[in-house]
Amino acid sequence: MLRDLLIDGNLFGNIQKKILEAEDWNDNAKSETNILEKNVLKLLRKKRSLKKYKKMGVTRTDLKELIELAEITNLELFQGPSNSELSSLHPEWCNNCGRCCSESSPIFIHKDELNLLIMFNPKLETEIITNEYYPEHFRFREDKPCKFLDIEAKRCKIYDSRPQVCRYYPLMMIGSEDKARNIINLRYNCNYATRLILEKSIILFDEAVKRLK
Ligand code: SF4
Ligand code: SF4
């Protein structure tokens, strides 16, 4: 019910379908997303008690649907902040667990940042190879864990000149260059992703309740 106040059902279905196709959603990604949704739901219920809104007909299903909407849409659709605006306001959401650096593969390097990266880190020249998935990109030869992760300290050894993809994580681009979309990597064990989805869900909830009133 609440989600219908924000977005047409068909439009939501189409966006979801496109994202799933572009991301090549597999069973692992689906189960990761399910866990993430459960975690966000638990946190959202602490922030917005269902009891308070029960009389208005708001249910647990409404919260789940808003979380799904927060996962796949940009709040700019509702005159809200973009994913990157929200993320840049909350660097504390990253708890420096180091999982993105130890579990991501491949680690993309766009052709336009290649020269700059090598200029700051001449040793990288032999560590960067062609990216077989996307011709516009290169990748680190070694990942999972990334060779530049100090595993003990959970710190990046080339932090100041790390690739763009690392700077924006858990945001990432999908699709071709001309139809690229900025999405959130829905990893349940990433605190940054969890907090970002939670923040978006709260904004969507408040907006939907305003429209309901
Ligand atoms: S971005 Fe997420 S996975 Fe990476 S270090 Fe921060 S909290 Fe951990
Ligand atoms: S370059 Fe640094 S930030 Fe990027 S994946 Fe490797 S260790 Fe992590």
Side-chain angles (χ1 to χ4, degrees), residues 21-75:
E21 279 167 7
E23 255 277 75
D24 194 13
W25 221 244
N26 56 29
D27 287 345
N28 191 33
K30 275 185 208 151
S31 67
E32 287 239 10
T33 308
N34 286 339
I35 301 172
L36 176 92
E37 285 169 0
K38 279 186 191 149
N39 293 346
V40 175
L41 183 62
K42 221 185 274 175
L43 295 166
L44 182 58
R45 291 183 72 177
K46 283 187 191 156
K47 301 272 181 190
R48 296 292 182 268
S49 159
L50 274 179
K51 269 189 205 157
K52 192 174 161 194
Y53 299 95
K54 214 173 169 185
K55 278 191 189 150
M56 296 166 85
V58 177
T59 65
R60 191 183 153 97
T61 306
D62 284 314
L63 300 189
K64 285 166 94 172
E65 287 182 353
L66 288 174
I67 292 168
E68 283 172 1
L69 183 61
E71 284 170 358
I72 65 166
T73 55
N74 202 314
L75 295 188

Side-chain angles (χ1 to χ4, degrees), residues 3-20 37 64-74 77-78 204:
R3 188 167 72 197
D4 296 340
L5 297 171
L6 298 172
I7 190 167
D8 174 78
N10 288 334
L11 178 59
F12 174 78
N14 285 339
I15 297 174
Q16 193 177 41
K17 195 168 153 234
K18 278 191 185 145
I19 299 256
L20 297 187
E37 285 169 0
K64 285 166 94 172
E65 287 182 353
L66 288 174
I67 292 168
E68 283 172 1
L69 183 61
E71 284 170 358
I72 65 166
T73 55
N74 202 314
L77 266 182
F78 316 99
L204 289 171

Side-chain angles (χ1 to χ4, degrees), residues 93-101 169-170 189-193:
W93 284 341
C94 175
N95 61 9
N96 297 312
C97 66
R99 287 194 185 99
C100 48
C101 306
Y169 193 89
N189 59 14
C190 171
N191 190 59
Y192 211 141

